[in-house]
Each structure stands twice: as structure tokens, then as C-alpha cells.
Amino acid sequence: MRVCIVGASGKLGKYMVQHALDRGYEVVGVCREQSVGKLDEFKGRITVIPGATNDPEVIKKAVAGCDRVLVVLVPRGVHGYSTGTAQAVLDHAPPGARLVFSCGWHITLDGQDVYSWKLKTLVKVGGPLARLARFADLDDQVEACRRVFASDTRWTVVRGSDLEEGESQGLPVWSRHVGDPILESNLTRRVDFALFMVEALENDELVHEAPAIVGRQTPSALAHAASE
């Protein structure tokens, strides 16, 4: 199986590369030219396509022949980077390709999520400040996901909780709505977020779902498991 990983040089991206290689997948990684060196540990084992991930021509070249595409939606800057990346993938991925996108809990599929005051404050206050500093634009990620949800592709949008480094605790658990008790701990190992992304490529039950995930060894996940 040939997998394209868009945003391969970031922390999440590199974990996804390793998980994909562990499964014997052929990997094509896309990253900005200045970040190619971050993938040196995989030299000779993956194909690297340098360029901006919101460049349609870069994406068109990278996804050619790939039946699976993993996409890190990064709300970098204030020029629609996430939206451009998502649209390029939607436009150029081969017909029927399995597409899995990453984002945060602030994205909602059906409007039924219930957010904590902390997260609402972060989005309401931190979002505009990040945009004012021209560092990031959360609304860009919202628009990117809106386009994914509206598409007729075989998509999944994986919504990550707060992240931490550390050894794998196994495949995260998920729920359809932020605010569900199983997600209360709001913490996932980054390596396991990547694991969920790669696993989703083979899980057709997640097609047209936006799972919100949490680490399977967190207190809320363990409490939920004990109650079943």
C-alpha cells in the first residue's frame, strides 16, 4: 500500500511515518523545503516531496498513485494554509482514496459537542491573539474541515485532545462528541495520536466520522472501560 503523509516533518508527522513503515507501507512524505532535513532518519526508506503543503502542484505530485493519504492540518499563518492544504488533497487524491485528516477538539461535525470553559476561552481569546500576531488562524482550520465534511471523498477527521510526549499507551479510545465522559481527561500521547491516524486508514467504520480521541490509559478512559 502506498501512503502519502502531508506534513511529514512535524512531530506528529514523523510518528505517522514510523507507524506506516512499521506496517510495511510505501511512504511518500510532503514537507516544506526548509524542513526536509528533519526526515533524515528515514532517508532511503521514504520518498520526500519538498514544497508547501497548500501548493496544488506539490500535492498533485505527492498523492499520485497513493490509495491512502494522511494530512496534518496546520493553521499556520493567516493566509489559509490549512484550507489550501485540504482543498489540494480533496482535488488531487485518486478517486476512492482513503483520506484521514488531523485537527483539534475545537472542530465540530454536527454541533453537538459540549466544550469546557477552558477550551472555549482558549479558542475565543487565544484564537484572535494568534491571528493578530499572524502566527495561526483557527478559523482557517474550521474552514478546511468544513470543506472536508462537505466532500464526497472517503474522509475521516481525527480530533486530538491535549498532547504529551512519552512511550505509547496503545491505541486511543474515541467518542463522537467532545464533552462525553470518556474524554474528560483530555490528554493523549502524541505517538498514539499518530497511531490512531494510521489505524484509521484501514477502519471503514470511521469513514465520514470525526472521532475525538483520548489516551486509553487516562483516568476517564479507564473509568469508562471499568463501567462497561
Side-chain angles (χ1 to χ4, degrees):
M1 182 166 64
R2 185 177 172 91
V3 178
C4 179
I5 300 178
V6 180
S9 64
K11 292 180 180 179
L12 179 62
K14 288 198 290 184
Y15 281 131
M16 290 195 294
V17 170
Q18 187 61 61
H19 286 312
L21 289 174
D22 289 346
R23 285 159 176 72
Y25 299 160
E26 180 182 354
V27 176
V28 178
V30 184
C31 68
R32 295 181 300 164
E33 291 188 22
Q34 58 266 46
S35 299
V36 169
K38 296 179 181 180
L39 295 171
D40 282 351
E41 64 192 276
F42 305 111
K43 188 171 291 186
R45 293 190 288 161
I46 70 173
T47 300
V48 179
I49 306 295
T53 65
N54 64 341
D55 185 330
E57 292 304 314
V58 170
I59 295 300
K60 182 178 181 180
K61 179 180 179 181
V63 301
C66 294
D67 50 5
R68 304 286 189 273
V69 184
L70 295 165
V71 187
V72 180
L73 289 177
V74 180
R76 180 183 295 114
V78 291
H79 302 292
Y81 198 83
S82 283
T83 300
T85 298
Q87 193 62 58
V89 171
L90 295 173
D91 288 343
H92 296 293
R98 187 72 173 86
L99 311 180
V100 180
F101 300 82
S102 74
C103 68
W105 272 6
H106 64 287
I107 299 298
T108 185
L109 173 60
D110 58 11
Q112 299 302 306
D113 299 278
V114 178
Y115 296 110
S116 68
W117 67 267
K118 181 179 178 181
L119 183 57
K120 287 190 289 187
T121 300
L122 179 64
V123 172
K124 186 175 182 179
V125 177
L129 287 176
R131 189 163 55 249
L132 184 64
R134 306 184 72 79
F135 172 73
D137 185 359
L138 295 182
D139 289 340
D140 175 32
Q141 205 175 59
V142 171
E143 173 60 18
C145 289
R146 186 196 68 77
R147 296 189 186 193
V148 172
F149 296 153
S151 75
D152 58 1
T153 61
R154 299 180 65 240
W155 56 263
T156 297
V157 173
V158 181
R159 299 182 291 157
S161 65
D162 288 349
L163 299 177
E164 66 174 357
E165 295 297 334
E167 294 184 2
S168 174
Q169 296 180 334
L171 188 68
V173 296
W174 69 278
S175 188
R176 284 190 171 89
H177 297 113
V178 174
D180 290 347
I182 192 174
L183 301 174
E184 185 177 355
S185 295
N186 185 24
L187 192 63
T188 309
R189 297 280 169 90
R190 187 174 276 104
V191 64
D192 294 331
F193 186 0
L195 177 63
F196 194 97
M197 294 281 291
V198 175
E199 289 279 350
L201 292 172
E202 300 301 313
N203 187 348
D204 286 345
E205 292 182 1
L206 291 176
V207 172
H208 297 164
E209 292 276 10
I213 65 173
V214 74
R216 72 179 307 109
Q217 297 298 319
T218 57
S220 62
L222 292 173
H224 178 80
S227 68
E228 290 186 330

